Amino acid sequence: MGAYRPNKSIDFNLESKKMQGEGRQMLRETKVSDLITNKKRLVEVPYTASLADTINALMANRILAAPVAAPPGQWIGAGGSMIMESDKQTGVARKHYIGMVTMLDVLAHIAGNGPEDLDRRMQVPVSSIIGHCLESLTLWTINTHTGITDCMEVFCKGIHRALVPVDSQMENIAGVELMESASSYHMLTQMDLLRFLKNHEHDLQPLLQRPIAQLGAIVDAVVGVSKKTKVMDAITSMNKAALNAVPILESTGAVNADRTQLIDGKGRKPVGTFSATDLRGCPISVLQSCLQVSVMEFINKLSEIPQHESSGLRNSTDELVTCRPESKLGEVVDKVVSNHVHRAWVVDESGMLTGVVSLTDIIKVIRVWLLSDRT
């Protein structure tokens, strides 16, 4: 009889599964402190800052939102939040974060008052526009000791960003409108979390190789705007629906098609994306002159703006980020992270919309997998 020869492929598979299990366990043990190691100091705006100054701050720092700070005790704040910055030595409160201003807040204020007298409205204090968007009314904090799956649970709720107290003594894991005080904060976003996970994609390989349709990551309901919709109407509609971006849809030719509201995008061909991210890099003078033009005309004009004028920001409208139902999760993660967009439109073989995959959906899928024992 011949000598026994162990099955090398079986040994390799067992070793591979063991390594994958160890990798998943290491990810489970990740803390929020590991996610903010390279984060810069928090960018904030004072409650007295004008809208124009606020936009300049967002553009200069290439961010979509910033907390608004006021003297302690002077403001009730967003939804009654009590998130303070205090002196590290004395513990005395120095400022109170009263809410979050987002680019969509700014746009909703501009579009909601019509195109007239924009210069005057750009001088209003930022504190007067907090709350145009629902997210601005609520501040979330996540402790540095919070585990990654608990952090993901917060972002699974559709929360796009949260404040992380650098040296807090609080024991809370994560929550909304906590009594929180720290000497400084960082901002943690859904994109920060997804970038971290992408950097550890080796530990996620079994999941990343599966199709997004199989994982249930696709949201079937998707709304958009006609390419003939005016910029002002698109912004107003997005604000009402709490959407930061919508697909621009090919017109059907119907004479009575409503161009002032969001329309069902299923089975329609997307030709672009209208996003608050892109509008962040738009000079106010251009935006003012474009409120009454169609979204496609505006995007064409936006693409002509020299890079230095738009702070070097890439327009997500330059390339329509799409995927197919059979696309692997890893491919979708690569697309949204490399293009710095917060969603990918799902299309069929004819290029017609069938749904959307957002960062929230991706984070949900990954969290479920991390908490399970399945490969």
Side-chain angles (χ1 to χ4, degrees), residues 125-193:
V126 66
S127 57
S128 67
I129 72 162
I130 294 177
H132 276 304
C133 301
L134 293 177
E135 189 174 1
S136 308
L137 291 173
T138 306
L139 290 174
W140 281 77
T141 61
I142 302 179
N143 196 279
T144 53
H145 304 299
T146 301
I148 193 170
T149 55
D150 287 324
C151 172
M152 293 170 80
E153 183 181 15
V154 173
F155 289 140
C156 285
K157 301 177 188 292
I159 303 301
H160 297 110
R161 53 189 64 84
L163 294 175
V164 178
V166 175
D167 55 3
S168 172
Q169 302 302 312
M170 298 290 291
E171 295 297 325
N172 303 76
I173 292 177
V176 60
E177 298 172 4
L178 297 174
M179 178 76 74
E180 178 67 83
S181 181
S183 62
S184 61
Y185 292 83
H186 289 302
M187 181 83 80
L188 183 66
T189 68
Q190 285 185 326
M191 184 61 80
D192 293 328
L193 174 60

Side-chain angles (χ1 to χ4, degrees), residues 167-360:
D167 55 3
S168 172
Q169 302 302 312
M170 298 290 291
E171 295 297 325
N172 303 76
I173 292 177
V176 60
E177 298 172 4
L178 297 174
M179 178 76 74
E180 178 67 83
S181 181
S183 62
S184 61
Y185 292 83
H186 289 302
M187 181 83 80
L188 183 66
T189 68
Q190 285 185 326
M191 184 61 80
D192 293 328
L193 174 60
L194 202 58
R195 281 204 193 98
F196 177 86
L197 292 170
K198 178 169 168 50
N199 288 337
H200 293 78
E201 59 186 354
H202 176 74
D203 300 321
L204 297 168
Q205 275 309 308
L207 177 67
L208 297 179
Q209 294 304 312
R210 295 174 61 185
I212 54 173
Q214 184 186 97
L215 293 169
I218 302 172
V219 174
D220 293 330
V222 56
V223 293
V225 295
S226 163
K227 69 177 187 179
K228 295 183 179 179
T229 298
K230 291 181 180 179
V231 169
M232 189 168 65
D233 292 330
I235 294 172
T236 302
S237 298
M238 287 165 60
N239 178 49
K240 289 179 181 177
L243 296 172
N244 285 299
V246 290
I248 301 172
L249 307 170
E250 185 66 70
S251 300
T252 60
V255 177
N256 296 322
D258 193 343
R259 298 172 185 166
T260 64
Q261 299 181 15
L262 297 177
I263 54 180
D264 185 1
K266 293 218 45 167
R268 302 279 292 272
K269 186 177 181 60
V271 293
T273 299
F274 188 74
S275 168
T277 305
D278 298 331
L279 294 170
R280 168 186 56 183
C282 177
I284 295 302
S285 58
V286 174
L287 181 59
Q288 181 176 16
S289 65
C290 289
L291 286 174
Q292 295 295 332
V293 306
S294 73
V295 288
M296 284 306 294
E297 288 180 77
F298 172 70
I299 284 174
N300 291 334
K301 182 169 290 191
L302 195 62
S303 65
E304 297 171 359
I305 299 174
Q307 284 291 92
H308 70 275
E309 287 187 33
S310 57
S311 302
L313 295 167
R314 177 193 177 280
N315 294 325
S316 65
T317 48
D318 290 345
E319 180 182 346
L320 191 62
V321 179
T322 62
C323 61
R324 299 279 294 277
E326 62 270 23
S327 296
K328 294 178 181 179
L329 179 62
E331 297 172 11
V332 179
V333 170
D334 286 342
K335 283 189 173 185
V336 295
V337 171
S338 61
N339 288 285
H340 197 75
V341 295
H342 293 77
R343 69 217 36 87
W345 310 116
V346 185
V347 298
D348 61 19
E349 63 277 3
S350 301
M352 300 300 181
L353 270 175
T354 64
V356 60
V357 178
S358 69
L359 298 193
T360 299

